[in-house]
Amino acid sequence: MSGKIKIFADSTCDLPSSWIEEYDIGIVPLYVVFGEDSLRDGVDITPLELYAKVEETGSLPKTAAPSPSDFIAAFSPFIEQGDDILFLSLSSELSSTYQNAVIASEELPSGRVTVIDSRNLSCGIGLLVMKAVHAAKEGSTIPQIVDLVNSYTDQVECEFVIDTLDYLYKGGRCSGMQNVIGSLLKIRPVIKVVNGGMIPAYKVRGKKEKALEQMLSNALDRVQDMDNDLIVVVHTMAESEALMLKKALQEKTGARQVSISTAGCVISSHCGPHTVGLMYTKKPS
């Protein structure tokens, strides 16, 4: 019986695969559904393949949470070898992933699975996962890790610059008229995670670079409040812009690490290609 803590997240945490391997993080994939085909995010389909399918079919996929049985199948081998599970989920405001993980935990041996609602998405979850991973490595107990993660949950800053309104339109998140007007005026919506949900924080008219500069400026205005451990820039097919943001953040913040990650299929299906996000945590108040 090894008796260690095994940290799990779902595929929307968008952590680099090298980190997942290095820190032995378990990943439970969400599903991307094209017609009759239900594909596991990051296992059966990649973002590039997703964009090709959207281009080919002209319609967006649906996304679906893992079922309770998916969680049971993922967690059981580790429980059987003596590990305790700590799972950080996509925000319960955005998906039934959290609820299904809780259902699974209640069907497994009592007290062996703890589920945390990240109240976030993408690398906003990933930041909390890394807090949990490092705390577990240093010998913290599950209750201590839960307290730590919960102290940071409301401190995660997560913004995305959306390059095109097409995916938001096709996904029913903006009207056809908004899509037409936005495209004509080159309006770049910036999406922010607030209280576990996605809201349009503001819009920037003009070139995408202007919106990226505004997002960067917003972060630098809060540099005194930043937790210095980690800042993550996440993107979908926008590597050069992500590198530009990384360089600026390295030069103008005291962060020990500024990393770039690529968004998975679930985030890509909602935000579309050439999206760029910036995520960090503030110091707990």
Side-chain angles (χ1 to χ4, degrees):
M1 302 283 279
S2 65
K4 68 171 186 173
I5 297 171
K6 174 73 174 181
I7 307 293
F8 268 87
D10 62 62
S11 60
T12 66
C13 71
D14 290 341
L15 286 172
S17 57
S18 59
W19 293 10
I20 290 169
E21 183 176 347
E22 178 181 353
Y23 296 104
D24 192 28
I25 301 165
I27 298 293
V28 182
L30 273 76
Y31 291 93
V32 177
V33 183
F34 280 96
E36 299 298 313
D37 296 328
S38 188
L39 307 169
R40 291 170 295 172
D41 179 14
V43 179
D44 303 321
I45 186 170
T46 67
L48 287 179
E49 291 166 341
L50 180 143
Y51 292 135
K53 275 184 171 288
V54 171
E55 191 70 25
E56 177 188 331
T57 63
S59 61
L60 286 183
K62 295 180 180 178
T63 57
S67 67
S69 61
D70 288 331
F71 284 110
I72 291 170
F75 296 160
S76 290
F78 296 94
I79 291 172
E80 287 167 8
Q81 71 182 27
D83 296 348
D84 290 319
I85 307 293
L86 179 61
F87 173 71
L88 284 80
S89 83
L90 172 63
S91 174
S92 60
E93 297 290 327
L94 302 172
S95 168
S96 59
T97 298
Y98 170 77
Q99 179 185 358
N100 289 352
V102 170
I103 292 170
S105 74
E106 292 169 347
E107 296 186 20
L108 290 164
S110 178
R112 301 299 299 280
V113 179
T114 301
V115 182
I116 297 178
D117 182 356
S118 76
R119 307 286 293 167
N120 224 289
L121 54 77
S122 189
C123 289
I125 306 168
L127 289 165
L128 299 175
V129 171
M130 295 312 296
K131 293 284 185 190
V133 164
H134 290 306
K137 193 174 180 181
E138 291 165 5
S140 296
T141 64
I142 283 184
Q144 288 170 334
I145 299 171
V146 170
D147 286 345
L148 174 71
V149 171
N150 285 340
S151 74
Y152 277 100
T153 298
D154 292 334
Q155 304 302 320
V156 176
E157 290 289 326
C158 177
E159 289 189 4
F160 289 89
V161 172
I162 307 295
D163 186 54
T164 172
L165 290 168
D166 287 349
Y167 276 60
L168 292 173
Y169 165 58
K170 288 175 183 173
R173 289 171 177 80
C174 77
S175 71
M177 186 58 69
Q178 284 176 316
N179 188 40
V180 171
I181 293 172
S183 299
L184 288 173
L185 299 178
K186 297 293 183 187
I187 290 174
R188 315 285 178 177
V190 179
I191 306 299
K192 186 177 175 71
V193 177
V194 176
N195 296 326
M198 296 170 64
I199 66 164
Y202 52 92
K203 297 175 182 177
V204 179
R205 185 176 297 175
K207 291 185 177 180
K208 186 180 177 186
E209 289 74 16
K210 187 176 175 184
L212 292 173
E213 287 168 5
Q214 182 63 58
M215 184 169 67
L216 175 63
S217 175
N218 290 348
L220 295 178
D221 284 346
R222 305 185 188 105
V223 72
Q224 298 302 320
D225 297 325
M226 279 184 186
D227 170 73
N228 285 330
D229 281 348
L230 175 64
I231 300 173
V232 182
V233 180
V234 64
H235 72 95
T236 62
M237 296 174 63
E239 188 173 10
S240 62
E241 293 163 329
L243 285 167
M244 178 274 290
L245 284 176
K246 176 181 177 179
K247 184 173 185 291
L249 289 162
Q250 285 174 323
E251 291 172 353
K252 297 177 181 179
T253 73
R256 283 185 281 273
Q257 186 174 7
V258 181
S259 297
I260 293 176
S261 187
T262 304
C265 292
V266 170
I267 301 301
S268 297
S269 70
H270 293 298
C271 295
H274 313 298
T275 294
V276 183
L278 173 56
M279 287 138 220
Y280 61 92
T281 53
K282 296 182 293 185
K283 300 168 188 171
S285 50

